[in-house]
Amino acid sequence: MISAILFDNDGVLVDTEGIFYKANREMLKEFGAELDEDEFSQMSLSRGMSLADIIVSLGYTPETAEEARRRRNLLYDRMLLERGASLVIPGVPDILRELHGRYRIGVVTCCQEMHFRTIHDASGLRPFFDFVVGDQDFVRHKPDPEPYRTALLRAGISAEEAIAVEDSERGVLSAVRAGIRVAAIPRGISLCGDFSAADWRLSGIDRLPGLLETLR
């Protein structure tokens, strides 16, 4: 019996990944690098390279790369603030409203705390979250299972009692390695990922309630 739904944040609840790409693209231009969305998706979402990793690979020092990452974070946060409530993916509030109270709703995200706060100060989604596991709560990021194992401990449930909802290859692998069944909803720049490890692939979040009915 499923008692908790563990949602990824970026790309599942809010449409932020394209904005994150733009912030990184603007910063990389300063270092003479041009990455299109597919290249960035492969490096960031599939291979797990950070902006700092990319800049170091171009021959710059770790100190230079870290300063660029700090400035990228500020730029990204300004972009998020400008978008406000429009970041919310259409249909998400209705689905969360339908599911909240019937299931515990958790968010399991590698989104930095400052960005998560900026996003959800405007999103109106916070009342639906029973708990949040963010990057300050674990050491190893997705695709390591630690984020989802932390969420299971926070909720006090077994992996069999949860379902994860993810949009990226790395997120799917993180949940699967924690023993959790996964519904993948690829969109945007994550579409080119390998989702073969997911238990289900949905065309949109509106398909989630129907899937949950089959698991009752």
Side-chain angles (χ1 to χ4, degrees):
M1 178 70 71
I2 301 297
S3 63
I5 308 170
L6 307 177
F7 289 94
D8 179 42
N9 184 63
D10 299 274
V12 173
L13 302 178
V14 288
D15 186 12
T16 55
E17 292 180 335
I19 301 171
F20 187 63
Y21 161 68
K22 290 176 182 177
N24 281 279
R25 182 187 64 190
E26 289 304 308
M27 188 55 56
L28 286 170
K29 283 181 181 178
E30 294 187 15
F31 297 90
E34 290 279 354
L35 291 181
D36 62 27
E37 284 195 358
D38 287 343
E39 290 170 327
F40 181 74
S41 176
Q42 285 296 320
M43 297 180 79
S44 177
L45 299 181
S46 296
R47 294 164 55 190
M49 294 182 70
S50 67
L51 175 73
D53 292 332
I54 296 171
I55 291 173
V56 168
S57 75
L58 296 172
Y60 293 90
T61 66
E63 293 76 16
T64 298
E66 182 59 27
E67 172 59 19
R69 188 188 69 84
R70 186 191 68 80
R71 290 190 290 120
R72 186 280 315 276
N73 286 343
L74 294 175
L75 173 61
Y76 179 49
D77 213 60
R78 288 198 300 271
M79 290 177 167
L80 293 174
L81 193 61
E82 289 170 1
R83 286 286 304 275
S86 68
L87 290 168
V88 178
I89 293 172
V92 164
D94 291 338
I95 295 300
L96 293 182
R97 190 174 296 110
E98 178 181 348
L99 298 176
H100 189 244
R102 296 169 53 197
Y103 302 91
R104 294 188 71 190
I105 303 295
V107 179
V108 183
T109 179
C110 295
C111 179
Q112 291 189 32
E113 185 175 11
M114 66 179 288
H115 303 319
F116 190 87
R117 185 170 57 249
T118 296
I119 291 165
H120 291 293
D121 280 351
S123 73
L125 301 181
R126 280 187 184 272
F128 301 118
F129 304 158
D130 294 304
F131 61 94
V132 175
V133 173
D135 77 329
Q136 70 278 9
D137 297 313
F138 46 80
V139 175
R140 295 177 295 277
H141 286 207
K142 301 173 185 178
D144 191 275
E146 186 183 356
Y148 278 102
R149 287 177 177 164
T150 302
L152 294 176
L153 289 171
R154 180 76 56 85
I157 59 173
S158 67
E160 292 74 19
E161 296 174 88
I163 184 173
V165 184
E166 278 282 355
D167 76 311
S168 72
E169 177 182 340
R170 291 168 57 79
V172 167
L173 289 174
S174 175
V176 168
R177 289 168 180 171
I180 302 170
R181 288 175 288 179
V182 186
I185 311 178
R187 67 188 310 275
I189 66 174
S190 70
L191 281 170
C192 64
D194 178 2
F195 294 93
S196 58
D199 296 272
W200 306 276
R201 181 166 176 159
L202 307 180
S203 59
I205 199 169
D206 60 311
R207 302 296 182 184
L208 183 59
L211 170 62
L212 291 167
E213 284 299 315
T214 70
L215 301 176
R216 291 178 65 86

